[in-house]
Amino acid sequence: MVNSTLLSQQRISVGTEGDLVTLTIGNATIKMPYETAIQLSQWLRVRGKQAKNKAGDMSRHWSALAILDGLRQ
């Protein structure tokens, strides 16, 4: 049986508060030092690549994130 809560969409956001990184999933927010956030991102990337390979997806797709609010003409 599949847990339906895993399949429901959740609001996910990442931000900063001073020198802390905030991760919000649904109504839960976690605050962590930037070193922990970097370590977590590396773990997620490695496990995501493993899951992608197990799913048989061998495509090479890169995504980029940018903060553009400081861009001036």
Side-chain angles (χ1 to χ4, degrees):
M1 181 173 189
V2 176
N3 185 344
S4 63
T5 59
L6 292 176
L7 300 176
S8 65
Q9 282 192 321
Q10 295 290 325
R11 180 180 61 94
I12 300 173
S13 64
V14 179
T16 58
E17 286 184 18
D19 63 345
L20 297 176
V21 176
T22 60
L23 171 62
T24 302
I25 302 174
N27 295 324
T29 299
I30 300 169
K31 295 179 183 181
M32 64 192 93
Y34 67 88
E35 299 96 342
T36 303
I38 291 169
Q39 183 179 32
L40 179 60
S41 72
Q42 290 170 338
W43 288 345
L44 288 170
R45 185 170 185 262
V46 168
R47 297 302 180 212
K49 286 176 110 178
Q50 288 176 342
K52 180 181 171 193
N53 287 337
K54 285 184 179 182
D57 185 351
M58 299 302 174
S59 65
R60 293 180 182 240
H61 177 75
W62 291 90
S63 298
L65 298 175
I67 300 173
L68 300 177
D69 58 316
L71 184 61
R72 306 255 192 261
Q73 290 186 352

